[in-house]
Amino acid sequence: MRKTLISGLIVSVFAGLAVLSGAPKQRNSSLEQALFRLANQERTARGLAPLKWSAPLAEMAHDHAVRMAQQDTLSHQLPGELGLAGRATRAGARFSSLAENIAEGPSAETIHREWMNSPSHRANLLDRESDSVGIAVADRSGVLFAVEDFSREAGDLTIGEQEAQVGELLQKRGLRLLNYVDDARRSCVLDNGYAGNHIPSFVLHYATPDVGTLPDMLEQRIRTGKYHSAVVGACPSNGKFGASSYRIAVLLFE
């Protein structure tokens, strides 16, 4: 008898989904809904809010489950595949945190029981910060390959709210915020460089699913101590950088 195997992953987020040639299109909806029901039963029994179903997470989970079944292996990232955050962004999920459980076994009930008996997988299932899940199951000759992708969904922010959150992070790092917001917003829509009458010492354009963190490159620049002030501009991504991405420009001044 083939033993149930499991693996779990948690990702701290910064910010594709490859189309599998010949991948089966049918979904094991009854098995997926069984795992969904079991997960929420565990949560509600402990006074936790039930998870809501996420179509983008389910799509990325389905492609990953199919890949594992085709290759007859368990892995959170298979050759030629993006990592968890990259797959979620490509699928159009908007998130501030991610976690993943994977397993292979003979039935949905057995897989769920093994996840609950594993401290790390149980923690993913019962994480009070998670609010969404997508689940997929792929069948390889009677062996089920299952994926649960959890997230905390990031809400849609207005342009002003995006700028305020990034600006607060910059202020916490000792930078003074300037009022050249129009320049920053005009710069944001460019692929590089800046627009306006105020010449910055450094400009960074970036796209991210989480405006609560700064890119490493920007953090490194700030730590040099060369810059005393900054201005933030946000602009619509229009799908150019993925459905889940906010588009930001930060202008630093010496």
Side-chain angles (χ1 to χ4, degrees), residues 37 134 198:
R37 183 179 65 256
H198 305 90

Side-chain angles (χ1 to χ4, degrees), residues 15 25 78 104 111 116 127 151 163 184 189 194 196 215 218 228 236 242:
K25 299 301 181 184
L78 293 162
E104 62 172 277
I111 288 171
M116 289 301 295
D127 185 353
S151 80
E163 293 166 349
V189 299
Y194 68 94
L218 185 55
H228 59 76

Side-chain angles (χ1 to χ4, degrees), residues 6 112-119 122:
I6 60 177
H112 174 76
R113 185 167 58 250
E114 292 298 325
W115 277 337
M116 289 301 295
N117 288 336
S118 163
R122 178 187 175 95

Side-chain angles (χ1 to χ4, degrees), residues 9 28 36 45 48 52 63 67-68 72 77 84 107 113-114 125 127 151 156 160 162 168 193 205 239 242 244:
L9 177 68
N28 292 295
F36 182 51
L48 300 172
K52 60 185 178 182
D63 276 16
R67 283 179 182 268
M68 291 195 301
D72 194 19
Q77 185 173 6
L84 184 60
S107 68
R113 185 167 58 250
E114 292 298 325
L125 267 162
D127 185 353
S151 80
D156 291 326
Q162 296 169 47
E168 183 178 354
H205 297 259
S244 66

Side-chain angles (χ1 to χ4, degrees), residues 5 23 35-36 63 78-79 106 120 134 137 141 143-144 172 182-183 200 202 206-207 211 214 226 228 230 253:
L5 300 175
L35 287 171
F36 182 51
D63 276 16
L78 293 162
S120 61
V137 178
S141 302
V143 177
L144 303 180
K172 288 179 178 179
D182 286 344
D183 285 2
F202 175 76
Y206 67 98
V211 291
L214 297 177
K226 293 170 54 179
H228 59 76
F253 296 83

Side-chain angles (χ1 to χ4, degrees), residues 198-218:
H198 305 90
I199 302 175
S201 304
F202 175 76
V203 180
L204 180 66
H205 297 259
Y206 67 98
T208 176
D210 178 21
V211 291
T213 60
L214 297 177
D216 289 342
M217 180 182 294
L218 185 55

